[in-house]
Amino acid sequence: MKKRFYITTPIYYPSARLHLGHAYCTTLSDVLARSKRERGFDCYFLTGADEHGLKIEKNALEAGVTPQQFVDHIVEGFYQLWDLLRITNDDFIRTTQDRHIKVVQNAFTRMLNKGDIYLGKYEGWYCKYCEAFWTETQVGPDHICPDCQREVQKAEEEAYFFKTSNYVDSLMKFFDKNPKFLIPESRKNEMINTFIKPGLDDLCVSRTSFSWGVPVLENNKHVVYVWLDALTNYISALGYGSDNDELFKKYWESEDCEIIHILGADITRFHAIYWPMFLESLGLRKPDREFVHGLLMMKDSKMSKSKGNVVNPYPLVERYGVDSVRYYLTREINFGSDGSFSPEQFVERVNADLANSYGNLLNRTISMIGKYFNGVIPAYKGHVTDFDASLESVIDLTISNYETLMDDLKITDAIATVNELVNRANKYIDETTPWALAKDENKKDELASVMNHLARAIYVASRLYHPVLVTASDKAFEQLGLSLEAADYKNIRDSHLLDNLQTNKGNPLFPRLDPTVEVPFINELMK
RNA sequence: CGCGGAGUAGAGCAGUUGGCAGCUCGUCAGGCCCAUAACCUGGAGGUCGUGUGGUUCAAGUCCCACCUCCGCAACCA
């Protein structure tokens, strides 16, 4: 396995506030990044904002501010949400930053000089009221502007294009040689069948009909158009082509580094087809993996700004805490498949897994250690009974399964294995009946071993949950009497870690949610 | 015939390379009394969308046909 990781989310478009779908993608990426770091790997994690384009220009005009003021305001909300969700990005790239603009211009020039970009004509449906071009599918069979509903006309304008035909063969070879590049694999077939086989069009990389974008140095009428601008963020953030390109060398150019892009299905095409082409044109290495996560739906329909059925993540986190929301997103929706959000599911998941199983396990264990051993965790003395041995083997197995699954980006499954450990530990209490052992002086050793094993199981579960339950896990460590330093992942296989620690009884980690109160509350948020 | 996904217990879902159909919730019966009305055990409930289809010793899984729902279709993650 490689030593370093570079993990990215897409850069989101600040035309409106973020919704739960954005939070989903960023949270899962964060879980991955945290889990790598906790296990001792060097991991650089990037997110950001894609701030150019006509829509921003128009929204700013309506709001009576400059485009820059407009995006500054919305991006402020991005920062707040990522803060609230405890996202640990190492950098936040904005496409309006100088460091990014220079890289885009540099890339454009190199591609132009190389003959990969040429000047041509862009043809599309034009709405003269909105001063915007639309695609065939956007205007529909009646040729109506999707924004103002007025009729549009065929029109053309001068534009630069990226010559995809120079790189199609090479891309196909790349796909063949790197079967794990695009996951899930069905996405690769989709790309090939839908876009490449029918003949790939050249990609429009500049426009003249609006001005809010990166200026083309060679032709001042033009600004760079979307994807060449947006995708470049992944290397501009590392300082590619700048005086300070240490990060770029360390993470992009180093063979020791695994580059992982996390993205949504709707932008797969750009990441899987054009991005490798751009990189090849620049003579740069391609990412190792592009992971396409599923779409988060609202019960039956897709969550979308235009349908107005978005879930606002801010009040959700404020009411239920960062851990519950992160847990729900990670555990409930199988990473890679589509999922749907429902208030009932949310409450059920939090109650079943976090309150009843995990939180309650901690609570009852700490309470017993308090009652039977004055709050001191008895030292580990091997396994006294078969029950102890059985629990120990589950602990070991959980750790190795978890690591394997995480490395394979099966985040949901990795977390599910921790649930199994927690359930196993709850069952272990019934098997060993500590309250009965406590009444028999001869069973003192057995009882001590049970308490030690329980504490260890809770520690391991909390350690493995930590990338998701970023605050509750620390509280669990504290209740076990572990310092954050002692709780470090490197000690996860140490059987003696909890010997003689003084526990601190605390409040339940996750209070049970009352569905009759919380379901209506969440439903209100969805209006 | 545009592309793709889905159809498995009352609900929501998981089922890697084919090898005794599982999980959570709900429900019924029991147990326990350390714990957050929590925890543990067991039962009921599925002909795995349809086929009087194919391959196989063996199909939820592979192949074929059909039905239904959904997403994408060139700037909503």
Side-chain angles (χ1 to χ4, degrees):
Chain A
M1 184 151 87
K2 304 205 176 184
K3 290 187 222 149
R4 283 200 269 263
F5 293 89
Y6 179 42
I7 297 172
T8 70
T9 74
I11 48 174
Y12 308 115
Y13 202 60
S15 63
R17 284 163 74 90
L18 296 172
H19 55 65
L20 197 62
H22 301 100
Y24 174 60
C25 181
T26 305
T27 298
L28 269 289
S29 304
D30 185 60
V31 169
L32 189 65
R34 280 175 179 265
S35 85
K36 295 294 185 195
R37 286 195 205 107
E38 289 183 14
R39 284 167 60 195
F41 298 106
D42 178 355
C43 178
Y44 200 79
F45 174 35
L46 178 73
T47 187
D50 173 21
E51 307 186 348
H52 289 127
L54 179 65
K55 205 186 258 177
I56 299 286
E57 195 174 84
K58 284 168 61 180
N59 288 0
L61 197 65
E62 273 172 35
V65 295
T66 67
Q68 190 65 56
Q69 287 169 329
F70 183 83
V71 293
D72 283 351
H73 176 70
I74 296 205
V75 165
E76 200 52 45
F78 287 23
Y79 293 146
Q80 279 170 20
L81 183 59
W82 301 153
D83 231 37
L84 203 59
L85 281 167
R86 302 291 206 96
I87 304 298
T88 56
N89 52 303
D90 295 286
D91 194 1
F92 188 99
I93 182 80
R94 303 180 56 181
T95 57
T96 53
Q97 290 167 334
D98 251 11
R99 57 170 176 159
H100 175 76
I101 291 170
K102 281 181 183 152
V103 174
V104 172
Q105 289 175 329
N106 178 5
F108 192 98
T109 300
R110 291 181 62 169
M111 290 173 177
L112 189 68
N113 293 342
K114 201 175 173 186
D116 289 337
I117 285 180
Y118 64 92
L119 190 60
K121 282 215 163 28
Y122 176 86
E123 195 182 45
W125 294 94
Y126 189 73
C127 173
K128 59 184 174 182
Y129 298 95
C130 298
E131 298 181 345
F133 275 95
W134 303 103
T135 62
E136 188 78 36
T137 46
Q138 283 174 317
V139 298
D142 300 330
H143 305 132
I144 299 295
C145 173
D147 248 22
C148 71
Q149 315 299 329
R150 280 184 272 238
E151 206 168 311
V152 293
Q153 283 88 38
K154 263 244 151 89
E156 53 179 40
E157 68 172 10
E158 186 183 273
Y160 285 96
F161 287 85
F162 181 84
K163 205 163 164 58
T164 56
S165 52
N166 287 355
Y167 297 101
V168 170
D169 291 345
S170 168
L171 182 69
M172 292 300 284
K173 275 184 203 145
F174 175 72
F175 283 163
D176 283 344
K177 275 193 194 157
N178 300 279
K180 288 207 157 184
F181 168 68
L182 191 60
I183 9 190
E185 202 184 344
S186 58
R187 296 295 175 189
K188 184 175 80 183
N189 303 329
E190 186 181 355
M191 288 303 114
I192 293 172
N193 292 330
T194 313
F195 302 112
I196 297 178
K197 274 192 186 159
L200 193 60
D201 289 340
D202 289 343
L203 182 74
C204 177
V205 293
S206 88
R207 300 302 286 271
T208 59
S209 51
F210 61 88
S211 58
W212 182 239
V214 177
V216 172
L217 292 175
E218 290 80 2
N219 190 334
N220 60 20
K221 281 188 297 187
H222 292 253
V223 293
V224 176
Y225 185 57
V226 240
W227 290 103
L228 182 56
D229 180 10
L231 289 165
T232 306
N233 90 84
Y234 299 132
I235 53 176
S236 68
L238 297 178
Y240 165 67
S242 77
D243 295 340
N244 185 4
D245 63 352
E246 250 172 70
L247 290 172
F248 186 74
K249 287 200 173 101
K250 187 174 173 189
Y251 293 104
W252 200 276
E253 295 199 308
S254 164
E255 279 304 313
D256 267 348
C257 181
E258 183 171 336
I259 302 172
I260 305 174
H261 295 313
I262 310 287
L263 51 133
D266 52 331
I267 52 175
T268 310
R269 190 165 59 92
F270 305 102
H271 282 77
I273 298 178
Y274 301 114
W275 181 226
M277 289 183 171
F278 290 165
L279 288 167
E280 191 163 330
S281 176
L282 295 171
L284 297 176
R285 168 251 188 110
K286 298 178 185 72
D288 296 282
R289 291 185 157 195
E290 294 190 346
F291 188 95
V292 183
H293 66 75
L295 241 32
L296 192 55
M297 328 266 250
M298 298 310 305
K299 288 180 181 167
D300 297 322
S301 65
K302 181 184 171 185
M303 190 190 307
S304 81
K305 292 172 198 165
S306 48
K307 283 183 190 164
N309 60 350
V310 298
V311 177
N312 185 349
Y314 299 80
L316 204 62
V317 178
E318 271 159 12
R319 186 170 179 98
Y320 303 107
V322 58
D323 293 328
S324 297
V325 174
R326 288 174 65 106
Y327 183 82
Y328 174 82
L329 294 173
T330 308
R331 180 66 185 83
E332 182 68 31
I333 299 145
N334 194 16
F335 194 44
S337 317
D338 289 347
S340 62
F341 177 88
S342 85
E344 292 85 355
Q345 265 180 358
F346 178 84
V347 172
E348 181 186 315
R349 193 48 96 172
V350 170
N351 277 344
D353 295 357
L354 299 183
N356 297 350
S357 296
Y358 173 61
N360 186 42
L361 174 66
L362 174 72
N363 200 35
R364 64 200 297 213
T365 300
I366 296 291
S367 162
M368 285 190 283
I369 292 171
K371 202 171 288 185
Y372 306 142
F373 294 95
N374 295 317
V376 177
I377 301 173
Y380 176 72
K381 291 190 177 134
H383 42 84
V384 175
T385 64
D386 288 347
F387 293 129
D388 299 349
S390 165
L391 184 63
E392 271 183 55
S393 75
V394 171
I395 288 173
D396 288 342
L397 197 64
T398 300
I399 298 170
S400 47
N401 284 346
Y402 175 94
E403 292 181 352
T404 306
L405 289 165
M406 271 294 181
D407 289 341
D408 214 17
L409 305 183
K410 293 180 176 163
I411 301 177
T412 307
D413 295 335
I415 295 305
T417 63
V418 186
N419 297 162
E420 284 169 27
L421 171 59
V422 168
N423 291 339
R424 185 66 190 77
N426 272 317
K427 181 174 176 168
Y428 170 83
I429 295 179
D430 267 55
E431 288 170 340
T432 54
T433 58
W435 49 90
L437 299 177
K439 288 175 186 154
D440 186 342
E441 259 314 303
N442 299 324
K443 299 283 177 71
K444 195 85 178 174
D445 287 349
E446 256 180 69
L447 181 62
S449 184
V450 169
M451 291 306 122
N452 178 281
H453 279 79
L454 278 174
R456 172 99 199 290
I458 292 168
Y459 159 68
V460 170
S462 303
R463 186 69 264 167
L464 299 180
Y465 272 147
H466 197 276
V468 179
L469 306 180
V470 298
T471 67
S473 291
D474 285 346
K475 287 183 196 156
F477 295 147
E478 197 194 324
Q479 291 200 25
L480 288 170
L482 273 170
S483 68
L484 289 185
E485 195 187 352
D488 192 275
Y489 198 97
K490 67 175 186 286
N491 296 328
I492 196 164
R493 290 187 184 270
D494 180 359
S495 307
H496 288 281
L497 184 66
L498 296 132
D499 289 4
N500 306 313
L501 292 181
Q502 175 67 50
T503 58
N504 309 294
K505 184 145 174 64
N507 293 326
L509 252 34
F510 296 94
R512 242 182 101 76
L513 302 179
D514 180 354
T516 62
V517 176
E518 305 308 334
V519 169
F521 177 85
I522 300 170
N523 272 320
E524 271 309 301
L525 297 182
M526 291 166 68
K527 284 180 183 161

